[in-house]
Amino acid sequence: MAERLKIPGLLGELAAEFAGTMILILFGVGVVAQVAGAGIGDHDSIAWSWGLGVTLGVYVAARVSGAHLNPAVTIALAVFKGFEWRKVAPYALAQFLGAFVAALLVRWNYTEVLHAADPGLTIKTQGVFSTLPGNGTLPVGEWGAFRDQIIGTAILLFLILAITDSANTAPLANLAPVVIGLLVVAIGMAWGTNAGYAINPARDFGPRLASFFTGYGGAMRDQTGYLYFWIPIVAPIIGGLIGAGLYQALIGRFLPSDAPQEPGEIPTQRDNVEATHG
């Protein structure tokens, strides 16, 4: 008889969120460092690498934690899908730490390239690690970036719920992470101008703090000197709630209610036994 799979406790779930978010940021921040520091690649390579990072991060964490990898996702699932509120803050902390550690690794690995491209570690390469209004150069203000992050994250959460809702036409054969990755590619290609499509508080603040601690003294501010760091934290949370709420109002409440597992739900004992014994 095959040994039963163990149900992960909270520690296991947090380890999975940490690892999945770390994988996401290693590919996402890594590709921006390569483009900005060495001139290898362009916007398309950035969008594709972020999307692949999401796909791989979800594959790493999904079975253990549900692979939220984003506090905006975790909060939206708590509000609309019954995710336990007691886990929201620990999940967000694990996601932030995963992003922070990954950004430190990127910063260390690309030290020589970044210093050659930008010896003063200024706004020129600050965008490697964190987002800026208008990507640091275009005429977009802070409130334009705030609006953009609400819209972009609303799109993200609306479609994540659509893709992962087993009562809907969810992708089969474990392909949901691939489709979610393609969603992030699409958002990057269509909604990356005004604020760099952070759409994830952990993705932005973790690397922002890592860059601040490693020489980017202006990391918390944008190109105008405005204390910008809070916008990619607050706006995605608002946008995520709007997107998830719209999905529930327009689609979710009209679907059959006999789905075996809600999006973001942690696998149960029954799920694990069935996975082991077929």
Side-chain angles (χ1 to χ4, degrees), residues 245-265:
L246 285 173
Y247 176 80
Q248 286 298 100
L250 298 175
I251 304 295
R253 67 193 181 100
F254 300 113
L255 292 171
S257 59
D258 58 350
Q261 185 172 312
E262 292 284 1
E265 184 179 2

Side-chain angles (χ1 to χ4, degrees), residues 69-84:
L69 315 185
N70 182 340
V73 172
T74 300
I75 292 169
L77 292 177
V79 172
F80 293 103
K81 289 294 184 179
F83 185 73
E84 296 178 77

Side-chain angles (χ1 to χ4, degrees), residues 211-259:
S211 66
F212 180 77
F213 286 149
T214 58
Y216 285 86
M220 298 299 163
R221 300 182 181 273
D222 65 14
Q223 62 270 27
T224 68
Y226 179 80
L227 197 63
Y228 181 79
F229 78 93
W230 65 273
I231 288 179
I233 297 174
V234 175
I237 292 172
I238 296 171
L241 292 173
I242 291 172
L246 285 173
Y247 176 80
Q248 286 298 100
L250 298 175
I251 304 295
R253 67 193 181 100
F254 300 113
L255 292 171
S257 59
D258 58 350

Side-chain angles (χ1 to χ4, degrees), residues 33-70:
Q34 180 169 271
V35 172
I40 300 173
D42 54 20
H43 174 76
D44 286 354
S45 65
I46 290 172
W48 278 106
S49 192
W50 274 108
L52 289 169
V54 169
T55 294
L56 297 171
V58 172
Y59 273 125
V60 164
R63 186 60 181 162
V64 177
S65 69
H68 300 181
L69 315 185
N70 182 340

Side-chain angles (χ1 to χ4, degrees), residues 84-208:
E84 296 178 77
W85 276 103
R86 69 180 181 87
K87 294 182 178 181
V88 169
Y91 263 53
L93 179 60
Q95 294 153 3
F96 159 75
L97 289 174
F100 178 77
V101 170
L104 286 178
L105 287 170
V106 172
R107 174 71 176 86
W108 180 34
N109 187 61
Y110 280 98
T111 294
E112 298 87 354
V113 170
L114 290 173
H115 279 269
D118 181 17
L121 300 180
T122 68
I123 199 77
K124 180 180 178 181
T125 57
Q126 182 179 316
V128 167
F129 299 95
S130 52
T131 59
L132 293 162
N135 292 311
T137 59
L138 298 171
V140 178
E142 290 80 18
W143 293 108
F146 191 88
R147 174 194 66 226
D148 175 87
Q149 286 300 286
I150 290 175
I151 297 171
T153 316
I155 294 170
L156 177 72
L157 262 295
F158 187 98
L159 289 169
I160 282 178
L161 293 195
I163 291 164
T164 60
D165 193 339
S166 53
N168 205 339
T169 52
L172 301 177
N174 200 25
L175 287 176
V178 175
V179 180
I180 292 171
L182 290 173
L183 165 61
V184 173
V185 173
I187 291 174
M189 289 184 170
W191 292 87
T193 295
N194 283 7
Y197 72 108
I199 58 176
N200 181 338
R203 167 267 173 275
D204 193 84
F205 189 66
R208 190 181 294 273

